[in-house]
Amino acid sequence: TAQHGTNMASAESDSGAGAAADPRIPVTVITGFLGSGKTTLLNYILTSTKHERKIAVIENEFGEVGVDDALLAANTKEHVAEEIIEMMNGCICCTVRADLVTVLKRLAKRVIDGGLRLDAIVIETTGMADPAPVAQTFFVDPDVEAFARLDGIVTLVDAKHIEAHLDDKKPDGVENEAVEQVAFADRILLNKIDLATEEELARVEGRLQAINRFAPIRRCQRSEVDVDSVLNIRGFDLQ
């Protein structure tokens, strides 16, 4: 993780040049425990007209709370395929019923055929998921690797409840998922800051930095962040 973080830090200065040179579509993986605000962030991406990006949101349907069905119905432009919905703002919402690689290859085919333009892909993982297997997808399948590049892992943290998750005692040999999610992050969004005191926020930030000193921490409420802060962060730029 430390080496990965170093790559991120060294890449920040020349991210613009690197991004322009690599034609592949950047992929952000969003992770965090249930209730941390992932779905709220996805809803914003899928409905906002402020960011003016064509973003494909791939939602892992095994999550307990999915993107709001009513919100999807109100903002759907057309059902392109069974698993792919085009939104009014030009973004795409996909649900993963099968293999993630299958959905990515379907998107790739539509982009290559000229039927779809994409600026970025955002993948949401379930609350208990270790992001590593999702990340590895972009390095093991040659077709996926040719189409998309893993850009970074963004972890949402619930300011009020993260310490309880970090302190959760696990049986021997079982990883603490919250610690894993923080350790893998290229960027941490400390969400729901209105529910915690400044003293609590400072303590939480100290604990997060002790686990991962490379990932910048950004405070937010209701998952309201500039979309640019979670896209094209070049976390996996190995140049």
Side-chain angles (χ1 to χ4, degrees):
T1 303
Q3 182 182 359
H4 164 49
T6 306
N7 292 333
M8 182 209 70
S10 64
E12 292 253 323
S13 58
D14 62 349
S15 61
D22 192 335
R24 294 177 299 166
I25 294 169
V27 178
T28 300
V29 176
I30 296 183
T31 187
F33 260 70
L34 188 70
S36 61
K38 299 193 304 297
T39 301
T40 307
L41 179 60
L42 298 182
N43 287 346
Y44 169 71
I45 291 172
L46 287 169
T47 59
S48 174
T49 54
K50 291 180 183 175
H51 57 70
E52 297 183 339
R53 304 282 190 90
K54 293 266 292 186
I55 302 168
V57 171
I58 299 178
E59 195 204 6
N60 191 329
E61 213 186 38
F62 303 110
E64 292 182 42
V65 181
V67 169
D68 189 319
D69 286 340
L71 177 140
L72 283 181
N75 290 276
T76 295
K77 182 179 175 185
E78 64 174 317
H79 263 80
V80 179
E82 183 195 354
E83 297 167 320
I84 300 174
I85 300 171
E86 184 173 353
M87 308 298 288
M88 297 286 197
N89 69 351
C91 288
I92 303 290
C93 183
C94 313
T95 52
V96 178
R97 291 188 179 85
D99 182 33
L100 175 61
V101 170
T102 303
V103 174
L104 288 167
K105 286 182 175 179
R106 284 183 187 167
L107 286 174
K109 185 176 187 306
R110 292 195 60 220
V111 169
I112 292 166
D113 290 347
L116 178 66
R117 180 182 70 79
L118 283 180
D119 297 316
I121 296 171
V122 173
I123 299 175
E124 180 254 350
T125 64
T126 57
M128 300 293 283
D130 174 350
V134 175
Q136 288 162 1
T137 301
F138 296 91
F139 301 101
V140 297
D141 188 287
D143 292 334
V144 171
E145 193 172 13
F147 163 65
R149 63 174 177 82
L150 183 60
D151 180 63
I153 296 173
V154 175
T155 297
L156 268 89
V157 168
D158 178 341
K160 189 71 175 174
H161 298 110
I162 184 61
E163 288 190 288
H165 293 313
L166 295 176
D167 293 336
D168 192 13
K169 294 285 184 274
K170 298 288 182 181
D172 286 347
V174 178
E175 299 286 354
N176 180 315
E177 296 92 349
V179 173
E180 292 281 291
Q181 289 172 358
V182 171
F184 271 99
D186 296 293
R187 191 151 294 172
I188 296 169
L189 300 181
L190 183 56
N191 195 27
K192 304 189 177 182
I193 57 171
D194 50 318
L195 303 181
T197 65
E198 182 58 41
E199 182 182 351
E200 288 170 332
L201 292 174
R203 186 178 68 238
V204 166
E205 286 176 337
R207 293 195 62 177
L208 297 175
Q209 287 167 342
I211 297 168
N212 183 343
R213 64 191 177 91
F214 296 104
I217 299 172
R218 186 158 302 192
R219 294 183 180 189
C220 57
Q221 292 181 42
R222 293 179 291 280
S223 304
E224 290 177 2
V225 293
D226 182 350
V227 171
D228 287 332
S229 69
V230 296
L231 300 177
N232 249 339
I233 56 181
R234 310 294 297 185
F236 283 78
D237 192 338
L238 304 180
Q239 298 297 316

